[in-house]
Structures are given as structure tokens and as C-alpha cells.
Amino acid sequence: MAYLLVFLLTFVFMEFVAWFAHKYIMHGLLWKLHEDHHTKESSHSFLEQNDSFFIIFATPAIIFILIASISYAPYLLVIGLGITAYGLCYFLVHDVFIHNRLKFLNKIDNFYFRAIRRAHKIHHKKIYKEDGECFGMLIVPFKYLKAELNKDK
Ligand SMILES: [Zn+2]
Ligand SMILES: [Zn+2]
């Protein structure tokens, strides 16, 4: 039970980490790596410089899981798995569902996912480092949820 709680807390905490990193690091010091995700709409190459963040964000989880597998550290393993699960969800929601980089999940039509997509598209409207909104992913501003929910009525 405690493991499950730690797993869930890690997952939720990662939404905060993702928001923070997106707002203050990707739109800050490492903007150069994130910029192409905002500027290019139709690209010729499948990969973006922005994909470097997959490696950057996966590294702590890999290290945690490695340490846990050579020493007895079950909580570290659970935290590593929580980070990995969040990363996978982020990939599925952001890269597959919102940006259609792989051709599945695009038929989802549920108010929560529509609100996520809406909010992220708003984020993409800004192509400069300085201004921006909706830096989070799975936690959506209430106004978008409400707007999408009303469409279902
Ligand atoms: Zn951004
Ligand atoms: Zn995006």
C-alpha cells in the first residue's frame, strides 16, 4: 500500500516538475533546445532538438532504477517507476495524442483530453521564450475543462 502511495505521489509530483522545468528551464536556460518545438510546424525530420529532454528527464529515473537493482532500495525503485510512468504518459499525451507524431490515439474524444490539447495549443501559440501560459500537461486550467465539458451537453 505504501509503495502504491509513493508511486502515485511521484507521478503527481512529476506534473509539478514538468511544469516547473517547462516554465523555468525549457523557456529559460535551455530555450535553445526547446525552441524548435515552438517554431516549426511542418518539419522534414522526425526528431526535434526538443527531444533531448527525453534523455534529460529519463536520466534520474534510470539512475534510481539502476541503484535500486544493485542494492536493496525498494522505495527508490518505486520512485524510478513513478517517474517512468509519468514520462510515458507525457509522451503518449503530448507527442502522440496532441502532436500526432505517431498515428494512434488520435480518435480520443473526451472532454478532459480535448481540454489538455486545447491548453497545450494555447501554449504553442507563443513562439518566444519570454511569454507563455499553460506550461503544465495533465493538470488543465479549469476554464478549458469547463469549455470542453459544455460542448458535450
Ligand atoms: Zn514550451
Ligand atoms: Zn507541444
Side-chain angles (χ1 to χ4, degrees):
M1 200 59 210
Y3 290 141
L4 184 64
L5 192 66
V6 170
F7 178 84
L8 293 175
L9 284 176
T10 305
F11 190 93
V12 172
F13 181 66
M14 281 307 292
E15 169 71 11
F16 170 75
V17 172
W19 168 83
F20 182 89
H22 190 187
K23 190 172 166 86
Y24 296 104
I25 299 173
M26 296 160 82
H27 282 252
L29 194 65
L30 296 180
W31 170 248
K32 273 278 151 259
L33 290 177
H34 184 53
E35 189 177 13
D36 70 346
H37 185 60
H38 276 270
T39 48
K40 59 148 220 191
E41 256 319 321
S42 58
S43 97
H44 302 290
S45 67
F46 180 70
L47 286 177
E48 301 171 358
Q49 282 197 37
N50 185 53
D51 293 330
S52 322
F53 289 106
F54 280 123
I55 300 163
I56 294 171
F57 287 125
T59 303
I62 293 168
I63 291 172
F64 287 176
I65 293 170
L66 275 179
I67 294 173
S69 62
I70 53 177
S71 61
Y72 181 73
Y75 281 103
L76 208 56
L77 176 66
V78 172
I79 292 170
L81 292 175
I83 297 173
T84 305
Y86 182 84
L88 184 66
C89 288
Y90 196 101
F91 172 76
L92 290 174
V93 170
H94 176 257
D95 295 89
V96 181
F97 172 64
I98 298 176
H99 292 300
N100 277 306
R101 293 178 76 185
L102 300 175
K103 307 296 171 212
F104 68 104
L105 300 182
N106 45 16
K107 299 246 165 7
I108 293 176
D109 184 22
N110 157 287
F111 82 95
Y112 171 60
F113 287 99
R114 290 200 311 262
I116 288 181
R117 186 171 53 200
R118 188 76 245 247
H120 191 68
K121 294 283 180 185
I122 300 284
H123 175 74
H124 269 278
K125 282 221 163 78
K126 308 287 168 62
I127 54 168
Y128 302 105
K129 168 185 174 182
E130 290 75 19
D131 47 21
E133 53 182 312
C134 301
F135 289 95
M137 183 56 55
L138 301 183
I139 297 177
V140 191
F142 188 66
K143 59 176 176 180
Y144 298 116
L145 284 173
K146 207 173 140 205
E148 294 302 331
L149 197 55
N150 283 336
K151 284 184 194 162
D152 282 344
K153 282 182 185 156

